[in-house]
Amino acid sequence: ALGMSFRTRPGWLSFNAGENPGEAEHPASPVRSWADLAVAALVAEMLLGAFIRHTGAGEALGSGDLTAALGLGPGGAPWPASEPARWGLLHRLSALVTAALVATAAHKSWWFARRRADGAGQALAVAAVGLLGVEILLGLLQVVTGLHPVPATLHLALAVLLLGTALAGRLRLG
């Protein structure tokens, strides 16, 4: 389904009939590219998160305070010594890149939807940013509580909801 969403364009049926409107002519092309990147980054981040969870790499970084959330060990060491801890830090750092991509795609999608007077498109963009903020807070809460099951479960559930929202916004772009 994800692959189809990246390759299905509004002109797909007419292209098959011999009429190709051209990708560059579609006004949503740049916005779609950002949305594609955001959805792909979310999928990659979720896969990395699953790897972290099932290998126990999240526990390797330590938990219980915000220095652990940043991957700073005792004495403020900038890079963890153990491989599992490095995977945990990679998940946290890549989450920052993913958040930037999602926020950028939502911003561009919101403006595109505004120009088209598409209230649902604007609502999806705002929802993505709101879910992103709560997702970040849940990630921090998960570290501070020592990877307690409740924030961990909510973190995963919200990640799925954020992915669904981003995918729905992407599909609205055509």
Side-chain angles (χ1 to χ4, degrees):
L2 288 173
M4 288 178 57
S5 72
F6 294 136
R7 294 293 162 221
T8 305
R9 302 291 191 237
W12 187 71
L13 293 175
S14 62
F15 174 74
N16 285 342
E19 307 166 14
N20 185 1
E23 184 68 20
E25 297 173 15
H26 195 283
S29 291
V31 179
R32 282 194 312 221
S33 296
W34 280 104
D36 288 346
L37 281 172
V39 170
L42 282 167
V43 170
E45 186 66 23
M46 289 175 70
L47 290 173
L48 182 57
F51 173 77
I52 298 301
R53 184 70 178 151
H54 293 290
T55 60
E59 292 88 356
L61 261 179
S63 59
D65 61 19
L66 290 180
T67 57
L70 298 173
L72 300 175
W79 190 249
S82 72
E83 184 176 344
R86 286 192 293 266
W87 280 108
L89 182 59
L90 176 64
H91 177 60
R92 294 169 188 178
L93 294 176
S94 64
L96 296 174
V97 174
T98 300
L101 286 171
V102 169
T104 301
H107 172 77
K108 291 183 178 295
S109 296
W110 186 87
W111 279 105
F112 183 76
R114 184 172 187 248
R115 284 192 301 270
R116 292 189 334 180
D118 178 11
Q122 287 179 289
L124 283 169
V126 169
V129 171
L131 289 170
L132 178 64
V134 176
E135 178 70 4
I136 291 169
L137 291 176
L138 279 173
L140 288 172
L141 183 64
Q142 195 175 341
V143 172
V144 171
T145 62
L147 303 173
H148 190 272
V150 172
T153 304
L154 290 174
H155 185 60
L156 176 59
L158 208 63
V160 171
L161 188 58
L162 177 57
L163 176 61
T165 303
L167 186 57
R170 166 58 185 91
L171 293 174
R172 268 197 89 69
L173 296 170

